[in-house]
Amino acid sequence: MLDSILVANRGEIACRVLRTARAMGLRTVAVYHHADRAAPHVGLADSAVELHAEVPTAAYLDVAQIIAAADHTGAASVHPGYGFLAENGDFAAAVEDAGLVFVGPQPEVIRLMGDKVHARAFAAEAGVPLAPSALMEGSFEAFLDAAAGIGLPLLIKAAAGGGGKGMSIVHDAAELEARARTAMSEAERYFADGRVYAERYVEQPRHIEVQVLGDGRGNVVHLFERECSVQRRFQKIVEEAPAATLPAELRARICDAAVKLAARANYRNAGTVEFILAPDGEFYFLEMNTRLQVEHPVTEMVCGIDLVEAQLRLAGGEGLPWTQDALSVTGHAIECRVCCEDPARDFLPATGRARVLRVPHGPGVRFDGGISEGQAVTAAFDSMIGKLVCRGDDRGQAIDRAVAALGDLTLLGVDHNIDYLARVIDHPAFRAGALHTGFVTEHADTLGVPVLDADARAAVVIAAALGVDDFRRLAYDIPEPYASIGAWRN
Amino acid sequence: MGATTPARFTDPAMSTSFPFTLGGQTHTLTIRARRPALVVEVDGRCYTVREHPSAAPGESTLRIDDRLHEVTRTRESDRIHVKLDRTTWSVGYEDPVTAAQHDAGGDDVLRADMPGVVVSLNATPGATVASGDVLLVIESMKMQINVVAHRDGTVENVHVEVNQSFDKGTELVSLHPNT
Amino acid sequence: MARIQSSIQTGSAEFRRHYSHNRALAAELHERQRQARFERPARDVERLARQGKMMPRERIEKLLDPGTPFLEFSTLAANMAYGGEAPGASCITGIGMIQGREVILCAHDASIKGGAWYPLSVKKIVRCLDIAIENRLPVVHLCDSAGGFLPLQSELFPDKHMAGRMFRNQSILSKMGVKQLALVFGHCTAGGAYIPALSDYSVIVRGTGAVFLGGPPLVKAATGEVVTADELGGCDLHTRVSGTCDYPAASEDEAIAIGREIVAQWDCPPKWDIQRDPIEAPYYDPDELYGIIPDDIKRSFEMREVIARLVDGSRFHEYQPAYGTTLVCGYANLWGYKVGILANNGVLFNDSALKGAHFIELCNQNDTPLVFLQNITGYMVGRDYEAAGISKDGAKMIMAQVGSHVPKFTVMCHGSFGAGNYGMCGRAYDGRLLFSWPNHQIGVMGGEQAAKTLTEVKLKQLERAGDAVDQATLDKVYNETLEAYQHQLSAYYSTSEVWDDGILDPLDTRNALGIGISAALNAPPLERGYGVFRF
């Protein structure tokens, strides 16, 4: 068992990992950039080390400083969270080279799955279904021919990309070449690797992923699927476990495919295999994420387990905590990603200060937050500031609880998507489970900010006015008999 | 005596009012009565308002006519962030002096606060300027001073030339009114 | 305190006759006030609009706190003077509330002869500043005046309580530590330049506001210099160069907003804390006042019925109910404030005068403001009463009333004739506010009495001279006297001359007194002590 851990991350995931680590009795170390000095994760660890960098995000990408911090504090292990260095094989290797335990898969597996072209080839070998695709193995022209042969529409993706970044959909053969060239230069710019590949684009697909846990010796269990179909610009907004609707047989095939893939890689620790599910019931491998995912709590809530605890035990040398038979899904859980963005301005990230933050509670309600009340929300970091996860005995109850909890969640001082999320999950199409990755676009008209009638507008304005001291004084501090006489003229 | 009675100023309703902006629209609020309860007029309609503070700071229950609302709010200079029941809004409010200055267009002429000499000119008639743009540089009391635009606008006229000396109060640059 | 038991029969013919009479008087009052306040020649309204100026009442409405009252003084000042050319004496004064603070407003009305000051304008303005001094009320001046109305300069310039008194009063207010704000919307010419100069804070509107001891025409006549009003004394000159004005404003709205913000900075000194209970509306309907007041100046009425429709809960604690019954004395609450009321139920006798004097002393002992409800034809005359010392007794009442350190308020409810006016706190006796009802008449004696008296005098004259007594001559004397008196006895005449602070619809009396009492408590009690009572 590990005795100490450094969490190389920030925000809600750092808080979440630290909580479980503390509960397990580990000595905990947090790292933070100066911009995060008031952030909650700093106070949740036994000790904290400041990382130095001009740009705040760069601090959390600074391999040398992080390893030095672990060394300096005597932390025996490092948890990378998600994002930042979580899927950086070099980081994992550096951690292990430093004699520390990396809470995650082997560096070579990280690298394998990080290269989308290699990952696809590996999946094909594992017998996992793949969407028709074209790789850039020869000339650019040969690639274009092969891509054209996939059929339209198709998706051009960066080989070194992931998480929805660096992708574009091509609907028209005429734009294929131009798009391919743009994608290559973008890939070069963002991922330092200009390789791209093309893949059949499934219209109105659903995004189904499977949580897996491996012991690094070929034993893998799955913790069933999650559905993450509600997305915008390839970023997930709402996730749930289990999938909204899925025939048992199809579920079994998808989960088995995931296990097959992970087992073939001798996968170690936690990971997620992502699939595209087409309307016709065909499913295709998308990618494997060799880390804990943002939406892992929905799995935890329906399986009744703590994935971070499982990760830490596996990293500590223990075997898999459960056999496949011991795992089952009870009830339904929904997660909403709470982001500081302005729904009225195409969800552009918003900045401000979380002047008031009140978190909901109740049966089946869980909020994994990453900011404290009073903390500034800046453009330095990702706009997601927390996740609201609600569990119910069935999907309907989970949605009801989530709608209520979103209503109880109060964040004032920075624009956010909380009200929007409530409209999404309360939408009849969502409740009916009619999900696909174009959901928010399809229902954009009905998901917009509701138009208020005159009385509703007046209520908002009145509520606001009573927050202005000058107005309040005029309303309440007029002395008698003037207040009682009122607007009288003789 | 020929008599006219302009209706507008016989109406005690045109009293001190407060503009608030919501979703880009301005709504005017004024107080009509305070007893037995506060009556507030918003955009011409009256509402009876009763507020009961809650235990938590910044939270209260608001009864407007016969509707009950849960309110959480916080003020941040010219914005009030309000959560009314389940939805969050951002309402703009400008203190009356600033609001009146916006309506009036403010002062259109920049004058010298002290005697000096024009060092350089940046503004030309017709140029569009933003608040804070340096319009000219003057030297006075052995210091060089940037004369900046106090609001967005269009330059109407530049009244001085480079190397010209001027007294206190001299008009330096004027902006088009209401630009 | 028990509620007054009303015995008014609202269905009786007399009540109904009185009611329609007084309702008509009230309607006439409102109509005359409306005209004085709002009717202006089209060309004057257009001129102000062209100049980008608001009408003065619009400025006032925007300055005052929303949903609060404005007690306006002497709306009908000068209504029977200057051929009716100067309604309201071309100014608007009163008590209002700005940012929760009680203030005196004094606004020039430039829609009348450019806001020029007639003699009665000066009197009205001096009066409102006197009110400010006596009650320690901050003053907001809304300046927009062409200065003194030159054709009548001898009546508004040289004497002690004429134009100079305005600036003397401003200086005294300042010496007392009472704040003044001047909002310069138009011209402050000649003496008017002293208004902002003597104010603690001043705001001036660019383009229309100007302050100068001599305006452009005078300057040109005096030195030949040709200069515009703005160049001579405009906003930028006075806010940047001379320091005469403190805040430039680009518009009247901005000036008003700045003015309100200035007042919001003022501290609120503690007020004199007198006895106060929760507020309660009168039990009886104040509307019934119309039916109680007679339609004939010679007829009396039961003052307790009036009191019942003015005071909280219609409750009244009567003092010496069995003695001096022609003067009703007692305590009541008015808008929560405890007050001592003296009200006439007939002529004043020895006992009623003594009762009045004693009750006034009790109210001073108790720090209770006094409210005088006048309906007095005088003291009882006759040898028996003189022998009993009625002159002394009347004098004692005056002595007590004048020696009061509590604020005094007077309402002329009906007649105010002769010496009775004095003991009951007439105009000369420094009541904080004095109001009349539309039916009120005031004079040394009533019109008919005067006409009879002077006819009698004429008759004696003719008899001594040995001339023939011609009924027609006597009738002429009688009628002409009556007519002259009627003209000068009426409430409209006295309000025109600013002998009162305004005519009130009887229904507005309660509000006016409530505001008056509240305003008065901004001043500490006066010096205690009475003169010598001739016992």
Side-chain angles (χ1 to χ4, degrees), chain C residues 77-100:
Chain C
N79 78 87
M80 290 171 76
Y82 319 125
E85 277 178 10
S90 61
C91 58
I92 305 163
T93 61
I95 297 176
M97 179 144 283
I98 300 179
Q99 303 278 18

Side-chain angles (χ1 to χ4, degrees), chain C residues 125-451:
Chain C
I125 294 172
V126 169
R127 172 60 185 154
C128 92
L129 294 176
D130 283 339
I131 294 171
I133 289 171
E134 288 169 19
N135 297 288
R136 291 191 72 93
L137 294 169
V139 182
V140 179
H141 305 271
L142 287 76
C143 309
D144 193 357
S145 168
F149 182 68
L150 295 178
L152 295 175
Q153 68 85 27
S154 68
E155 293 175 48
L156 62 90
F157 172 69
D159 203 359
K160 177 164 182 173
H161 295 277
M162 293 184 180
R165 196 73 177 174
M166 296 192 290
F167 315 118
R168 175 265 179 197
N169 277 3
Q170 280 194 253
S171 310
I172 290 290
L173 278 166
S174 198
K175 183 173 167 141
M176 290 164 64
V178 176
K179 300 175 185 61
Q180 293 173 75
L181 163 67
L183 302 175
V184 181
F185 292 107
H187 289 185
C188 291
T189 320
Y194 290 129
I195 298 177
L198 289 168
S199 294
D200 306 302
Y201 301 83
S202 57
V203 184
I204 181 167
V205 180
R206 183 174 293 111
T208 44
V211 179
F212 29 62
L213 277 180
L218 196 141
V219 167
K220 179 158 185 229
T223 68
E225 183 186 359
V226 172
V227 69
T228 66
D230 198 58
E231 288 165 347
L232 181 57
C235 169
D236 293 316
L237 178 83
H238 282 310
T239 53
R240 290 170 195 262
V241 179
S242 78
T244 305
C245 294
D246 306 315
Y247 305 80
S251 67
E252 296 208 3
D253 276 315
E254 188 185 343
I256 290 167
I258 293 172
R260 282 183 56 83
E261 197 174 288
I262 291 169
V263 176
Q265 310 307 311
W266 292 351
D267 77 326
C268 307
K271 289 168 70 165
W272 184 12
D273 202 9
I274 61 166
Q275 289 182 77
R276 264 181 106 166
D277 286 324
I279 293 165
E280 196 184 330
Y283 176 82
Y284 297 104
D285 189 354
D287 185 70
E288 290 167 358
L289 284 169
Y290 292 138
I292 293 165
I293 305 162
D295 53 356
D296 181 341
I297 196 64
K298 295 190 305 297
R299 296 175 73 82
S300 69
F301 57 94
E302 173 54 70
M303 267 292 189
R304 292 181 189 84
E305 298 288 0
V306 170
I307 294 169
R309 286 153 185 82
L310 287 181
V311 302
D312 290 6
S314 300
R315 286 191 298 279
F316 185 60
H317 170 100
E318 189 167 353
Y319 175 75
Q320 288 187 339
Y323 181 77
T325 54
T326 57
L327 183 69
V328 175
C329 297
Y331 296 113
N333 283 355
L334 212 148
W335 285 106
Y337 296 110
K338 186 165 294 298
V339 296
I341 297 178
L342 290 90
N344 300 118
N345 252 9
V347 295
L348 283 164
F349 289 84
N350 301 66
D351 54 2
S352 26
L354 290 174
K355 170 178 168 179
H358 188 87
F359 182 67
I360 289 169
E361 285 193 84
L362 292 179
C363 288
N364 279 295
Q365 179 196 55
N366 209 38
D367 283 345
T368 298
L370 289 161
V371 175
F372 294 86
L373 302 177
Q374 282 206 19
N375 177 23
I376 186 66
T377 53
Y379 290 89
M380 192 60 199
V381 298
R383 197 180 171 279
D384 289 342
Y385 298 97
E386 287 300 345
I390 192 151
S391 296
K392 289 191 298 182
D393 296 338
K396 285 194 279 285
M397 185 172 167
I398 291 173
M399 194 65 84
Q401 183 256 96
V402 171
S404 296
H405 68 263
V406 296
K408 300 174 293 197
F409 300 87
T410 311
V411 183
M412 303 296 199
C413 298
H414 207 44
S416 178
F417 296 107
N421 168 293
Y422 304 151
M424 287 293 289
C425 196
R427 190 60 153 174
Y429 292 87
D430 307 315
R432 301 297 173 96
L433 293 174
L434 188 153
F435 296 106
S436 316
W437 284 357
N439 51 296
H440 159 62
Q441 290 185 15
I442 181 166
V444 139
M445 61 184 72
E448 283 180 17
Q449 194 185 352

